[in-house]
Amino acid sequence: MNRLLFGGIAAYVAAAAGVLGASSSFELTVAAGRHERNNVPVRVPIPRGQIGNERIVSVTLARADGQLIPAQWTGPSLTSSAAGEVHFILPHLGAGESLPLKGTLSTQPASTRGLIWHDHAGNHTDLTLGDRKIVTYHYERLDESTPSSRVRTYKVFHHVYSPNGDRIVTGGLNEDPKVHSPHHRGIFYGFNRITYGDGKRADTWHCIAKAFQQHERFLASEQGPVLARHRAEISWHGQDAAFAQEERELTVYNVPGGHLIEFASRLRSTSGRVRIDGDPQHAGFQFRAHNDVDAYTTNKTIFIRPDGVGKRGETRNWDRQTRQGPVNLPWNAMSFVLGTNRYTVAYLDRPDNPKEARFSEREYGRFGSYFECTIEKDKPLKVHYRLWLQDGFMKPAEVAALSANFVEPVNVTVHE
């Protein structure tokens, strides 16, 4: 391998110091900061100027005692301007503690074991870990040959499986006519009050009046021992044509205890100014549990909030008329029952997502938040969220720790 030069490296928002010099190996220190860390993803962006024309395809990381930590090299994520990224899972680090590591980049491929995509071209792609399904991305193109085929294909979304992979825990594509709000689908993103062009309106939540979202192509895909990620180009259509183009990225981290899922999106206008609006029940980034929650267990749904645990079946919602209710929560969580199993899904927001974020809860298994925003030709809409799904009930402190890992990540320093 040719010699490489390294410069500033960052873990999310933390700028690193030092230049590595002419070497394919580097040393770094991971500092926990003021929070205890458990099974935390760490991302280290690598600038193009520091790797030259080398086609890096793998990385190894080791502790000072030589013990290896699974690591993965990827291309840049949607939120990064780097040439590539080093990823690893930090198993544990106490508050105020630090951990020295040594890394080596390589042009030789590493093992592809871990999280793997299995694409069924033109229809859906499954993500698996071993023989266990994690998520499925449904991306069949719009089919208007019949009313039912249009309903089936008018939006893209991700289904999520239980932590042990034995069942789908999200709603969507259920042919039961009694399904509550069949346009609610897994992990999904849309708005019911969009204005574009010369006053035209579009509803990409219900996908009515000729509106729809359509997968155009995959832009990037990653898989390996630490994470799996894909980025898709999705067109947003109104009455006559596409008025916006989205880059939607979903990342799943290989961590124990549940599914850690990251959602990022960049929505650009293709038709001048676009006004994004809606209401808490029909807009934004949302999660919908399987319809069996609505059919059988709504009275067992419990919301866990920053101010404590709610009562069974109790919900809180921002009200468009009074403009009162939960806004700008750092996180929210919903615990729901399917069959005999209880699950909890945590919804993690970020301070740099658009505000005011207005939150919605429904005992039948949908929750999330929305906001108002104006997209200009040179000002895209960017959002970035995380979801965590696990078996059993979560305490507020456990969700708060996940939130801290997301908005206050570990610091990484690269040493000469």
Side-chain angles (χ1 to χ4, degrees):
M1 176 179 176
N2 292 338
R3 296 186 300 175
L4 306 178
L5 292 175
F6 280 70
I9 296 181
Y12 288 110
V13 299
V19 177
L20 294 173
S23 174
S24 61
S25 298
F26 58 98
E27 295 181 355
L28 56 87
T29 300
V30 182
R34 64 193 186 99
H35 299 288
E36 181 181 11
R37 312 291 184 166
N38 290 289
N39 298 312
V40 175
V42 179
R43 181 184 69 174
V44 185
I46 309 297
R48 168 58 61 191
Q50 307 307 318
I51 61 174
N53 295 321
E54 291 288 350
R55 187 177 181 274
I56 306 301
V57 295
S58 65
V59 60
T60 58
L61 279 180
R63 297 174 182 264
D65 61 5
Q67 180 182 353
L68 294 177
I69 293 179
Q72 185 176 341
W73 171 267
T74 73
S77 61
L78 181 64
T79 59
S80 171
S81 60
E85 299 170 348
V86 173
H87 295 265
F88 60 98
I89 305 298
L90 181 64
H92 177 262
L93 202 59
E97 295 181 348
S98 60
L99 176 69
L101 297 171
K102 182 176 181 178
T104 304
L105 298 178
S106 175
T107 57
Q108 299 302 310
S111 169
T112 57
R113 291 179 298 176
L115 292 160
I116 304 294
W117 292 108
H118 305 273
D119 188 42
H120 303 262
N123 190 277
H124 69 278
T125 184
D126 296 316
L127 178 65
T128 63
L129 181 62
D131 59 359
R132 180 163 53 95
K133 285 187 178 181
I134 308 296
V135 300
T136 295
Y137 173 51
H138 289 272
Y139 67 93
E140 188 177 359
R141 291 179 69 84
L142 181 71
D143 178 358
E144 294 187 299
S145 59
T146 66
S148 62
S149 67
R150 187 183 196 282
V151 171
R152 188 185 73 248
T153 60
Y154 59 36
K155 67 169 66 176
V156 297
F157 73 100
H158 287 83
H159 259 322
V160 183
Y161 289 79
S162 62
N164 65 11
D166 65 343
R167 65 161 299 159
I168 293 173
V169 300
T170 46
L173 298 185
N174 189 325
E175 296 182 359
D176 183 348
K178 297 180 181 179
V179 167
H180 188 299
S181 301
H183 52 276
H184 294 171
R185 298 183 184 175
I187 300 172
F188 65 117
Y189 181 52
F191 296 81
N192 69 324
R193 292 189 177 99
I194 300 173
T195 306
Y196 68 97
D198 56 353
K200 294 184 177 70
R201 296 184 179 276
D203 179 348
T204 60
W205 179 270
H206 301 95
C207 293
I208 56 176
K210 298 185 178 180
F212 63 97
Q213 295 178 346
Q214 181 163 271
H215 173 96
E216 299 297 341
R217 57 179 177 144
F218 286 106
L219 299 171
S221 182
E222 305 281 357
Q223 57 186 23
V226 176
L227 64 82
R229 184 170 68 204
H230 64 194
R231 188 183 315 150
E233 181 181 298
I234 299 164
S235 54
W236 290 36
H237 294 253
Q239 301 170 21
D240 47 5
F243 61 86
Q245 205 76 18
E246 179 191 4
E247 293 176 77
R248 183 179 301 186
E249 183 175 87
L250 189 101
T251 305
V252 177
Y253 295 98
N254 186 8
V255 295
H259 300 330
L260 184 60
I261 301 170
E262 195 161 317
F263 178 96
S265 168
R266 181 165 56 214
L267 185 64
R268 299 182 185 275
S269 167
T270 60
S271 58
R273 177 174 293 181
V274 176
R275 179 65 179 169
I276 302 291
D277 199 356
D279 62 69
Q281 277 63 253
H282 307 102
F285 173 65
Q286 306 249 355
F287 176 96
R288 170 67 194 270
H290 194 280
N291 196 67
D292 282 357
V293 175
D294 177 66
Y296 306 113
T297 63
T298 56
N299 61 345
K300 297 180 180 179
T301 300
I302 302 170
F303 286 92
I304 303 115
R305 312 180 184 99
D307 64 355
V309 178
K311 297 178 181 179
R312 292 189 175 212
E314 174 205 27
T315 62
R316 295 180 187 173
N317 295 274
W318 185 84
D319 187 276
R320 190 175 180 87
Q321 300 301 318
T322 65
R323 307 191 76 79
Q324 299 295 313
V327 298
N328 298 338
L329 301 179
W331 56 265
N332 198 8
M334 178 177 69
S335 185
F336 58 96
V337 173
L338 287 171
T340 60
N341 296 322
R342 178 171 288 278
Y343 305 94
T344 300
V345 57
Y347 179 108
L348 311 178
D349 203 343
R350 289 182 60 86
D352 51 3
N353 281 332
K355 300 292 183 284
E356 177 179 77
R358 300 155 181 169
F359 279 75
S360 168
E361 301 172 348
R362 286 293 188 255
E363 70 278 5
Y364 60 75
R366 180 192 54 74
F367 79 134
S369 68
Y370 96 103
F371 48 84
E372 299 177 29
C373 178
T374 299
I375 305 174
E376 305 286 358
K377 197 73 173 178
D378 59 348
K379 184 184 176 184
L381 167 59
K382 302 175 185 178
V383 298
H384 190 190
Y385 300 92
R386 271 186 186 171
L387 298 172
W388 165 260
L389 174 74
Q390 69 166 59
D391 292 308
F393 190 81
M394 294 186 73
K395 298 177 181 178
E398 294 173 314
V399 187
L402 293 173
S403 175
N405 290 334
F406 188 34
V407 301
E408 298 182 58
V410 297
N411 294 326
V412 176
T413 304
V414 178
H415 307 284
E416 289 188 28

